[in-house]
Every structure is written in structure tokens, then in C-alpha cells.
Amino acid sequence: MTYSELLKLLESLVKVPCVIAPLGTTHNHLVYVALAEGELSLWSLNLKTKVKRRLVSGVRLTSIAEPNPKSRFVVYTIDISKGRELSRVYAIDIISGKVLDIGSNIEPGRVMGIAFDGEKVALSLSYKDKVSLILLRLDGVFEELHRTDKVIFVSSLNEDLIAGYGVLKGNPRAFELFFYDLRTSEFKVYTPRDGTYNVNPLLHGRRALFETNAFGKKDLYIYDYDSSKIVKPSYSSSDYKYYEATDVGAYNWLRDGRIGFILKSKGRARLFIDGSLVKLPEGNLRFLGIGDNEVYVSHESLSRPPRVFKVDLRTLNYEVMIDNELPKEINEKIGTVRYVEYSSFDGLRIPTYVIESRATSKPGPTIIYVHGGPWAEVADSWDVLIASLVISGFHVVAPNFRGSTGYGEEFRVLDIGDPGGADLIDIVKAREWAIKSGLASKVAIMGYSYGGFMTYLALTKYPDLWDAGVAGAGITDWEEMYELSDEVFKRFIEILFTNKKELLKDRSTIFYADKIKAPLCIIHPQNDSRTPLKPVLKFVNKLLELNKRFEVHIIPDMGHLITTSEDLINILWPAIVFLKKNLR
Ligand code: 4NP
């Protein structure tokens, strides 16, 4: 393929909607978020006429509250800082399209969760030196209810009660729930058992459905706020018991008070309604939107971009509501997708997705793709970064190194206190697997954010293993990044490193730049406020002094989040050209 053919292919790829997330219905419209027609936007689908409408455009969307059937308004936030994630709250009438600027009196901040009960909005915002819990009315009147230095995510609001979760007791391996009672102005922290994982409480009345591992494997429980009692939900079917889940996915209350939930297993998922299995095709189910008599679920895989199915709650039959097809010239280049496991240095099995390219030979040039997070995963879900590599003629190996989500809480916490340590060895073992299995000839490492951090560290700590590296929005100096971070990201770094100050230096590539051997491609958004550019520029200076082989691509008017097709091209095109040159 020539560069012009490749660029054409990439442009065709980024036109394919890569995110479609159903959020729920209100006033006969399905509200969803999609990265389609060039940008991440809020959309509605009129359920009577089937007409789709883009509700906002030309902005960077940062969060959306679940629609509430009591209101025609949908509440969302947009970045007003060219990608720095300082956001402002708006509401839109999904029928008339009228926008209300309801958050103009609130100092813009990083949104850490937002909920809407049809009349009021609750949100948590992170600032340079505080985190605020805020209540906002549609007329623009707001109140700061609570101020903290802790990580708090708002997840639900119902009349007099706000529910959310966070790291509230200082244990880096635990999450607790919190409740703010608007009647008494009381902020209450709740955990069924100290040191356990408790997240995402969703209110129905004053009962909160949440995910916990306090009683063994992760499961859903209900906490009754008024009686302080905790119960296991009872379902009318026990289908779900026969599914060997490795994790819990999305869940919510149905409008009749029953529960719908998704169980995950090795990157794929199943939907259960009141305990009954819904017979959907194999793939991953990520987003669950609730309707009056139906639910909407996104369905996707590594070789198929997301579609939305509507599931009838009486029959549990499904139909396609929002379709999405790959152009032939892209589809024909995506080869076999496999789930594999290999053993790491200590015997830990590493769940991994392997995506073969039909645009190269076998063995062929291979990318070890390191996901961000680090508390995230590469599931059998559409991933436009991975797809771009595959169609460009690279096989991709995407390990879910220790610390990844989707494989239980014990696995997730394995990186806490040791980021860039054992998890990095898991990555090194992925390279070994790729070569031994006959997949890889030359091998590069590539990742964005935490994946960019791991790329830098892999090239410095294991310099002889790589033919090239691509670090997007990476981390080169944890100490300087800490100083530049807002309140929530300071806590994030403390949690990740369990406050081991000396480890910050050991895991910062800037101190080992002399070790690098492989050519390095650095891609970084100029306005990134999670992994700031400033320390990376110092690292670049070091590379220059040391006469290393590198290239740097700084993307203006962009922050950490990839929200437009242009962002995608700006990141992917330099990476692909670099990899083509260096893995030849
Ligand atoms: P992510 O980026 O991979 O996009 O989540 C990160 C940003 C900050 C930190 C880690 C990862 N941190 O530890 O502060």
C-alpha cells in the first residue's frame, strides 16, 4: 500500500462510528452518545418516526447525565478549555432543541460524575485544590453541598438523595459508597466491609443498587438507605447463575423496579433481564439504556463496530435499532480475532486479545498494544486504534496485564503499589508470546496514556526487546506530573503508587533516557491536563542531548480525550507512518 492509499483507508475507518452508547429514553426518544459524523455528540432517536438527530455540534462533550423520563431535558457538560477538561453544564430540550445555559455560575472543573432527577442536577467537580459536590437547578441556581480532597464520583440522584462512590477511607484498594441527604445536609460514607470494592450506586426510591465484592465475588446488592439494611436482589429467573462471569458489566433498575444487568466473561458479555438470559449474538455489551417497556444495549466486537439492539422486556426478543457496517475495504483486512492466555514470570495467566491483519504476512510486523487506564481493558470491543493498526498491515497483541479490569477485583488491584513493575513484565511476556507463537517478525510497542507510560518505560527498562515504540499522551516524569495535577489526579497518583515516593522516580523514564535504543515516536496533545505535555518536552530535550532517534508530534487544540475524527487522524497517522518506516 502507498501512503496515499493508506491515508484514504484511515479516513474511511475514522468515518465509521466507533462509539455508540445508548443512555435511556425520555418522551419517546432514545438518547445516545456517538462518535459519528466527525465528533462525539449527543443524539436522539425518535422512537415513533425513527428519525435520528444530532443534538449538539462543534463542542467537546465531557459527560452526560442519564436521561430522566420525567423531563424533556437532557443534561450534559462540555469542555470550554480547548481540551483541558474544564467543563460547563448545559441542558437541552430534546424535542425543541432549545439549549439552557444552566451552569454559567459554576466555576468550570473536571466532571467526576453527574446525575439528573428530572428537576435537579448533582455533580462532582475536581479543581486544582479541591473536589466539590454541587447541586444545580435547571434555572441556574446552584449550591456547593460538600467540599473534599477525596476522589468522589456522583452516580445517582433521586429527589432528596444523592448517591456516589469514591476512595473515602484512604485505602487505595477500596471504594466506599457515599450518600448526601438533602433533607439533613448529611454526607454519609457507607461500606458493607472495610477494604472492599463498592461502586456505582443507582437509586430507585431510596434504595441503592450497587456493585460490591464485600461478600465474595463481585455481585450486585441493594442498600436501603433509610433502614441501613443490605439485601441481595431476588430475580425471577436463575439463568445468570449458569454463566461463568469474570466480572460485572453495566446494570440498572428497569422502570418497573426489576433489574437488568450485564455479566462479563473474558472480554465478552451477556445481558440478563430479571435474571433471564437475553439471547444476543456473541460479542461485548458495554452500554445499557433503559426504556419504558424495552432496553437498549450496545453490541460490538474487535472486528465489528458498535450497533444498538432494542430488547423487548416482555418477549426478550431483540431487533437492531442503530446499525453500523464496516466498508468492505476495511472489513477484508481484519483477520482472525483470538482470546489467548500466557503465563507471566510468576505464573499469573494474562488474558490477551490477538487480532491478525490480512494486510501482511505471518509472521509479520506486530504491535504490542498497551491499553490505558490502567484500570481498563482490551475486550472483544471495537477499538479504532487497534483497527487502524490492523488495516495498516500490523498484527496486534493486546494483553490485559495485571491491573486490568474485567477479570475480577483481585486481578485489578495487582498493579497498586507497583505501576510499571510486574505489569510491565506482563507486557514483555506478550512480546515473547507473539514471537514464539509464530505471529511476529519485528515487534513494536504502542499505547496511549498509561499505555504511553508503559511504552516509554519498556524502551528504557527493556531496551533490547523492541524494534520501535509509539507513546501517545504518555508519562515521563511522575513527580512533575503530580505537581501539575488537579486534586483528583493527585489522589489517583497516590493511590496507584500507595504513596511510595521513591517509586515515582524509579518509574519515570526521564531518569533513564540514556538507556533507550529503539526509535521512538512521541505523540502528545498540547492541552492534556491528565498527562501534561510539560514534562514530556523536558524528556524530548534529553533525547536531543543524548542524540537518540525520535520524532515528536504535538497536537494543538486537543486535550487527553479523543473526541473527534480529526483527533484520531492526528494521533494515528504519525503513528502509522512511523511504524511503517521502522518495522519494514
Ligand atoms: P489514562 O491516563 O491511561 O488515560 O487513564 C492516566 C492519567 C493519569 C494517571 C494514570 C493514567 N495517573 O496516575 O495520574
Side-chain angles (χ1 to χ4, degrees):
M1 262 184 293
T2 64
Y3 280 138
S4 61
E5 284 164 343
L6 203 51
L7 183 56
K8 232 174 143 179
L9 203 58
L10 195 63
E11 282 175 328
S12 144
L13 175 75
V14 301
K15 279 205 188 100
V16 176
C18 60
V19 175
I20 307 184
L23 302 178
T25 70
T26 183
H27 290 70
N28 245 315
H29 287 71
L30 170 65
V31 178
Y32 63 101
V33 170
L35 205 171
E37 294 181 9
E39 60 183 7
L40 190 74
S41 186
L42 192 56
W43 290 72
S44 70
L45 168 67
N46 185 321
L47 296 172
K48 279 209 191 95
T49 63
K50 306 282 188 251
V51 172
K52 290 183 205 145
R53 188 160 137 205
R54 183 160 61 172
L55 297 173
V56 296
S57 62
V59 295
R60 286 187 187 269
L61 203 59
T62 47
S63 70
I64 307 98
E66 184 187 340
N68 190 299
K70 283 187 228 150
S71 177
R72 288 161 50 144
F73 284 94
V74 172
V75 174
Y76 59 97
T77 63
I78 61 176
D79 178 306
I80 53 139
S81 56
K82 292 191 193 290
R84 291 177 185 86
E85 294 178 65
L86 301 176
S87 297
R88 199 157 136 171
V89 191
Y90 294 85
I92 186 165
D93 180 330
I94 56 150
I95 293 161
S96 70
K98 187 178 142 197
V99 173
L100 304 181
D101 180 6
I102 59 174
S104 58
N105 297 319
I106 302 173
E107 186 192 343
R110 186 191 307 281
V111 183
M112 303 301 297
I114 185 164
F116 177 51
D117 72 352
E119 289 173 2
K120 317 179 287 301
V121 182
L123 71 160
S124 45
L125 288 171
S126 174
Y127 298 103
K128 189 71 199 162
D129 51 11
K130 66 167 181 183
V131 179
S132 294
L133 175 64
I134 287 169
L135 186 74
L136 168 68
R137 290 170 203 283
L138 290 185
D139 62 9
V141 175
F142 83 98
E143 192 186 340
E144 186 186 36
L145 301 173
H146 184 76
R147 192 179 282 193
T148 177
D149 59 358
K150 310 257 183 335
V151 179
I152 53 168
F153 302 95
V154 167
S155 56
S156 196
L157 165 65
N158 188 26
E159 294 177 9
D160 289 326
L161 203 57
I162 298 169
Y165 62 101
V167 181
L168 290 153
K169 293 193 165 191
N171 180 341
R173 292 174 185 83
F175 282 94
E176 294 82 24
L177 304 186
F178 74 82
F179 295 90
Y180 187 93
D181 192 334
L182 293 164
R183 292 184 202 157
T184 60
S185 304
E186 207 190 346
F187 183 92
K188 232 173 75 178
V189 174
Y190 170 76
T191 179
R193 193 155 64 82
D194 271 335
T196 59
Y197 174 88
N198 303 277
V199 301
N200 195 33
L202 300 175
L203 293 164
H204 190 260
R206 288 163 76 82
R207 294 179 353 127
L209 175 68
F210 69 108
E211 190 184 335
T212 181
N213 72 344
F215 310 102
K217 222 170 78 160
K218 269 197 211 169
D219 206 346
L220 297 176
Y221 275 80
I222 296 167
Y223 176 67
D224 185 299
Y225 181 78
D226 292 317
S227 70
S228 303
K229 284 214 172 77
I230 183 161
V231 293
K232 207 169 151 52
S234 59
Y235 306 112
S236 67
S237 164
S238 53
D239 284 359
Y240 70 99
K241 288 185 182 160
Y242 303 100
Y243 184 66
E244 274 196 42
T246 54
D247 222 329
V248 177
Y251 54 89
N252 212 333
W253 296 95
L254 305 178
R255 294 202 173 139
D256 60 11
R258 294 183 299 155
I259 292 165
F261 58 88
I262 289 166
L263 294 179
K264 308 206 296 182
S265 184
K266 301 178 176 177
R268 297 187 177 120
R270 290 284 178 200
L271 171 64
F272 297 88
I273 298 296
D274 196 18
S276 291
L277 174 69
V278 180
K279 295 186 179 79
L280 298 170
E282 177 143 290
N284 197 23
L285 310 170
R286 287 175 66 197
F287 300 98
L288 181 64
I290 307 300
D292 291 333
N293 301 301
E294 72 285 350
V295 298
Y296 300 87
V297 64
S298 64
H299 177 275
E300 59 194 292
S301 73
L302 278 158
S303 52
R304 170 146 212 175
R307 292 180 289 168
V308 174
F309 293 145
K310 169 182 155 181
V311 177
D312 185 306
L313 288 176
R314 278 157 307 201
T315 61
L316 299 190
N317 291 333
Y318 73 91
E319 62 179 291
V320 177
M321 272 313 265
I322 304 173
D323 210 354
N324 194 1
E325 293 286 342
L326 279 183
K328 184 172 161 287
E329 69 275 16
I330 289 175
N331 196 35
E332 68 191 14
K333 291 188 173 58
I334 302 176
T336 314
V337 173
R338 275 184 292 159
Y339 171 87
V340 303
E341 290 176 1
Y342 58 85
S343 289
S344 192
F345 68 99
D346 56 354
L348 187 73
R349 302 290 287 170
I350 307 301
T352 301
Y353 271 96
V354 179
I355 309 96
E356 290 184 13
S357 172
R358 287 217 175 97
T360 187
S361 55
K362 196 170 151 185
T366 297
I367 315 296
I368 306 300
Y369 177 82
V370 188
H371 68 69
W375 302 307
E377 66 180 302
V378 171
D380 193 6
S381 287
W382 184 247
D383 185 310
V384 63
L385 270 56
I386 291 175
S388 74
L389 296 171
V390 171
I391 64 171
S392 303
F394 304 105
H395 304 305
V396 175
V397 177
N400 289 298
F401 47 89
R402 64 193 69 202
S404 300
T405 53
Y407 299 87
E409 191 54 12
E410 278 171 35
F411 193 83
R412 193 209 46 108
V413 298
L414 286 177
D415 60 346
I416 295 178
D418 187 29
D423 57 358
L424 184 60
I425 308 180
D426 298 341
I427 302 294
V428 166
K429 294 280 171 187
R431 173 192 167 274
E432 227 172 83
W433 180 91
I435 292 168
K436 277 193 192 145
S437 69
L439 181 73
S441 52
K442 292 197 168 186
V443 185
I445 177 167
M446 168 169 167
Y448 192 84
S449 190
Y450 193 83
F453 155 61
M454 294 276 261
T455 298
Y456 286 129
L457 209 60
L459 295 192
T460 50
K461 300 240 172 181
Y462 303 93
D464 296 313
L465 303 184
W466 314 100
D467 292 301
V470 179
I475 299 159
T476 53
D477 183 341
W478 287 96
E479 283 175 344
E480 189 175 9
M481 167 157 134
Y482 183 87
E483 293 311 319
L484 295 168
S485 294
D486 69 4
E487 195 75 353
V488 155
F489 275 92
K490 282 200 167 84
R491 292 302 90 72
F492 190 172
I493 295 166
E494 289 160 8
I495 291 165
L496 195 54
F497 283 85
T498 54
N499 270 322
K500 293 177 191 157
K501 293 255 151 55
E502 72 290 356
L503 209 57
L504 293 179
K505 239 195 186 92
D506 184 65
R507 303 295 151 85
S508 295
T509 298
I510 191 152
F511 302 110
Y512 312 96
D514 56 310
K515 300 277 192 298
I516 294 181
K517 288 185 180 167
L520 171 61
C521 175
I522 297 171
I523 303 169
H524 213 102
Q526 185 176 344
N527 302 333
D528 199 320
S529 64
R530 299 192 186 205
T531 53
L533 174 64
K534 207 172 152 193
V536 175
L537 288 180
K538 290 187 186 162
F539 173 69
V540 166
N541 248 319
K542 245 194 174 154
L543 294 175
L544 182 64
E545 283 163 17
L546 292 163
N547 201 23
K548 299 291 177 187
R549 187 151 190 276
F550 67 96
E551 54 186 74
V552 188
H553 305 266
I554 294 163
I555 322 235
D557 299 322
M558 184 188 168
H560 193 73
L561 304 175
I562 301 168
T563 65
T564 67
S565 305
E566 200 179 319
D567 293 346
L568 280 169
I569 294 277
N570 284 336
I571 287 171
L572 294 173
W573 183 239
I576 288 165
V577 171
F578 168 86
L579 289 168
K580 281 279 168 200
K581 276 187 296 202
N582 287 288
L583 294 191
R584 235 196 303 260

